[in-house]
Amino acid sequence: MCYHTRLTAKADAIEKSSGASFDEPDTYKPTAEYNGFATPATPVIRFDDRKKILMYEWGLIADWVKTASDAKKARINCLNARIEELDEKASYKRKTGNRCLVAMDGMYEWQWESPGDKKSKKTRYLVTRPDNAVFLCAGLFNEWHNRETGIITYCYTIVTTQGNELMKEIHNNGERMLVVLSPEEYDAWLDPKNEHLAFADRSHIELKAVQM
DNA sequence: CCAGACGTTGTT
DNA sequence: GTCTGG
DNA sequence: CCAGACGTTGTT
DNA sequence: GTCTGG
């Protein structure tokens, strides 16, 4: 789960709901589905540049990765980061202060007919806010330096936690969810002084799911 | 001590 | 680069 | 994700 | 029953 998102809102709607402005508006196009495995560039906001919306690539590349081909493999496993283990994982533990917000207006999830049976049927759901508005998720970013080319890749991972009531029901074969933030939590997440574990409980987040 | 991992739990 | 499992 | 472990490093 | 190593 947590590897397929949507951002169909126009640029001005994203700006309005996030309180930041696109640095280069032409680089953003509304997108019905972002596939994490394709490491697309999507809008994010960094803690140290709160008023700017930047296009960063989904799939964090850790500092210790040496080559572009290693990066390609490694980052696919860094599309999500478990909030419970941020302090323990080599790829994240020194980046827990690199907070960012990841914009989206939907997440795709697959519900299994019989959880546990890999062959059972799956139904796709689009999970959104009840009003379908843009929301921001908790993320961590990195600037990866390619030693061979000197090129910097700006990239991020999205933090996950235990699924809340609705998400456990939809994502019944894993029961996790992205750390969707309420608007009141946006700035709190961006402040690295705030314990990240304080954002693990998502039971207060209201979402709805429609089959599609 | 040193080799090997370093991540997630997913593919429409 | 740093951690850790064997 | 699921199979397999689930404990200690002490004793003449 | 729950944790964890592969």
Side-chain angles (χ1 to χ4, degrees):
Chain A
M1 76 158 279
C2 316
Y3 300 143
H4 300 264
T5 63
R6 180 179 88 145
L7 185 54
T8 51
K10 294 210 177 82
D12 61 348
I14 300 170
E15 294 182 337
K16 207 170 170 186
S17 53
S18 67
S21 303
F22 276 95
D23 200 41
E24 299 174 72
D26 297 343
T27 57
Y28 169 69
K29 292 273 180 301
T31 305
E33 181 171 353
Y34 283 128
N35 174 6
F37 295 103
T39 64
T42 82
V44 305
I45 297 160
R46 289 170 59 134
F47 80 105
D48 54 355
D49 208 354
R50 176 68 181 85
K51 294 293 168 192
K52 270 190 204 160
I53 303 176
L54 305 163
M55 299 296 283
Y56 274 32
E57 293 177 16
W58 192 359
L60 186 142
I61 308 171
D63 291 334
W64 48 265
V65 174
K66 291 198 178 64
T67 66
S69 80
D70 284 349
K72 197 173 178 182
K73 282 177 256 166
R75 70 189 309 189
I76 292 303
N77 290 315
C78 296
L79 297 172
N80 292 161
R82 297 175 66 90
I83 198 166
E84 303 89 338
E85 295 167 14
L86 291 185
D87 290 326
E88 293 149 31
K89 300 296 183 179
S91 297
Y92 305 137
K93 61 192 304 178
R94 282 172 194 77
K95 300 293 166 188
T96 58
N98 276 8
R99 308 269 178 96
C100 67
L101 300 169
V102 183
M104 61 190 76
D105 51 26
M107 311 171 277
Y108 294 101
E109 286 303 339
W110 283 260
Q111 185 177 51
W112 296 59
E113 197 166 275
S114 42
D117 176 7
K118 288 205 162 194
K119 294 194 180 75
S120 90
K121 261 194 197 144
K122 283 173 290 183
T123 308
R124 188 168 93 147
Y125 285 87
L126 174 65
V127 180
T128 64
R129 279 187 16 168
D131 62 1
N132 299 308
V134 173
F135 55 88
L136 307 180
C137 290
L140 297 177
F141 68 88
N142 197 21
E143 298 181 1
W144 181 69
H145 294 250
N146 183 321
R147 295 156 170 73
E148 295 162 331
T149 62
I151 293 170
I152 296 175
T153 299
Y154 297 90
C155 50
Y156 70 88
T157 183
I158 311 179
V159 177
T160 66
T161 189
Q162 184 178 47
N164 65 14
E165 203 75 0
L166 174 74
M167 294 304 282
K168 273 187 189 161
E169 197 182 317
I170 305 285
H171 186 215
N172 58 354
N173 193 32
E175 303 175 357
R176 299 201 53 88
M177 69 179 285
L178 299 181
V179 174
V180 176
L181 300 165
S182 67
E184 301 74 45
E185 293 174 313
Y186 293 167
D187 287 315
W189 171 255
L190 288 181
D191 184 348
K193 289 198 297 292
N194 292 327
E195 254 304 318
H196 55 257
L197 274 179
F199 299 86
D201 181 3
R202 296 293 95 195
S203 54
H204 60 289
I205 298 293
E206 292 211 34
L207 299 166
K208 71 168 183 187
V210 296
Q211 205 174 318
M212 61 179 286

